[in-house]
Amino acid sequence: MPVTLRHVQPDAGHKLRQLETSAAELERAARESIPPELLPQPAPRHLRTLASKANAYGKVPLSYLQRARKTLRRWAKPVAGAVRATVGLITETAFYVLLALGGLFVLAALILLLAPPA
């Protein structure tokens, strides 16, 4: 239920009005105390002109954007497939290298355990 002055006790409503008035006075005093050199200044005219020209030059016809989008869509699936295949091959290679190293470790441990002392 929203809180309005109708649903607030009369003394609380009066205090709320006083608070709002005090806050408005404080805000006005704070705005007046800001030195003029700290106030935001409008951009110089030549910068506004430059910005509008840059905005006008930056507009690209929609047909170019549509062609670029279609090209990216056409190349996205094969590239994604190639990346997946490459990651799969690297993962499989790492697995077999670790398997071979594990086998060599076991073989070296058996040789050390079973070899006669020198």
Side-chain angles (χ1 to χ4, degrees), residues 45-60:
R45 186 167 184 245
H46 67 280
L47 287 180
R48 287 189 302 244
T49 306
L50 184 64
S52 65
K53 285 183 181 179
N55 190 22
Y57 287 131
K59 293 184 180 175
V60 178

Side-chain angles (χ1 to χ4, degrees), residues 80-101:
V83 168
R84 277 195 299 271
T86 304
V87 168
L89 288 173
I90 291 172
T91 305
E92 190 174 352
T93 303
F95 171 74
Y96 285 119
V97 167
L98 287 175
L99 189 65
L101 287 175

Side-chain angles (χ1 to χ4, degrees), residues 6-113:
R6 279 186 241 148
H7 298 100
V8 178
Q9 296 172 354
D11 59 339
H14 179 69
K15 289 179 183 177
L16 184 60
R17 279 193 204 97
Q18 285 179 342
L19 258 167
E20 287 176 348
T21 307
S22 299
E25 290 174 3
L26 183 63
E27 184 179 357
R28 187 177 53 238
R31 284 187 185 163
E32 291 172 356
S33 68
I34 297 175
E37 57 269 2
L38 293 180
L39 290 174
Q41 302 293 326
R45 186 167 184 245
H46 67 280
L47 287 180
R48 287 189 302 244
T49 306
L50 184 64
S52 65
K53 285 183 181 179
N55 190 22
Y57 287 131
K59 293 184 180 175
V60 178
L62 191 58
S63 61
Y64 291 133
L65 294 176
Q66 288 173 344
R67 276 191 243 154
R69 187 176 179 190
K70 283 181 184 178
T71 304
L72 285 175
R73 281 187 177 177
R74 190 176 307 138
W75 284 96
K77 288 183 182 179
V79 169
V83 168
R84 277 195 299 271
T86 304
V87 168
L89 288 173
I90 291 172
T91 305
E92 190 174 352
T93 303
F95 171 74
Y96 285 119
V97 167
L98 287 175
L99 189 65
L101 287 175
L104 287 174
F105 178 75
V106 169
L107 185 63
L110 283 175
I111 290 174
L112 287 175
L113 287 175

